[in-house]
Amino acid sequence: MVTKRLLDGLPEDADLRRADSLAREIFSDVANKWALLIIEALGERTLRFSELRNEVEGVSHKMLTQNLRMLERNGLVDRKVYPTVPPRVEYTLTEPGRALRTAVDAICGWTHQHLGHIESARGRFDA
């Protein structure tokens, strides 16, 4: 978390420690497994809904829809609808979405780097 000193001059909505802050709401929105996996799957590409669903194994139609709407609402994903029959819909990360992807990539890298350690710790804990 950030210290109060680092928050000097920023609006109260920027304080993740405050239950009513916009920053905490945004953090809560994007810090879930499906949002992180969608951001990682989109990367620098533009994908259709069905392509995204294939990329993110295990996500239900409902969860993918909810998370894409949330990411679009927060300005992290652009949704483009083409007037065809049936309608073609494509999703692309916006500039802030691509910036967030940098953090998501770091989390993915951390996971890969420490996977063995975590697996060992779980084995000891569960024994």
Side-chain angles (χ1 to χ4, degrees):
M1 289 286 178
V2 293
T3 65
K4 283 193 181 271
R5 188 172 46 81
L6 292 175
L7 291 170
D8 285 345
L10 292 177
E12 288 183 350
D13 265 355
D15 190 347
L16 283 170
R17 296 169 300 175
R18 291 177 49 106
D20 63 344
S21 76
L22 178 59
R24 186 181 285 193
E25 181 184 334
I26 295 166
F27 184 79
S28 176
D29 280 351
V30 300
N32 78 70
K33 71 177 176 182
W34 297 124
L36 295 175
L37 292 170
I38 291 165
I39 290 166
E40 183 64 19
L42 279 172
E44 298 295 324
R45 304 181 292 170
T46 296
L47 296 174
R48 295 175 70 175
F49 186 92
S50 59
E51 293 171 322
L52 259 173
R53 190 159 178 209
N54 290 336
E55 288 284 323
V56 183
E57 286 187 27
V59 69
S60 68
H61 186 279
K62 178 182 175 181
M63 289 308 297
L64 182 56
T65 299
Q66 287 177 351
N67 277 274
L68 284 168
R69 286 181 181 160
M70 174 273 299
L71 291 167
E72 182 182 10
R73 178 177 182 254
N74 285 312
L76 303 173
V77 167
D78 271 334
R79 178 178 177 263
K80 185 168 184 179
V81 180
Y82 294 90
T84 60
V85 177
R88 189 177 83 198
V89 182
E90 294 180 340
Y91 299 91
T92 308
L93 290 177
T94 62
E95 184 182 333
R98 288 190 302 275
L100 178 57
R101 183 171 173 252
T102 302
V104 172
D105 287 345
I107 292 169
C108 291
W110 174 90
T111 303
H112 293 138
Q113 182 179 356
H114 298 287
L115 193 63
H117 172 81
I118 294 167
E119 190 174 40
S120 296
R122 285 182 173 190
R124 289 189 306 274
F125 186 86
D126 294 340

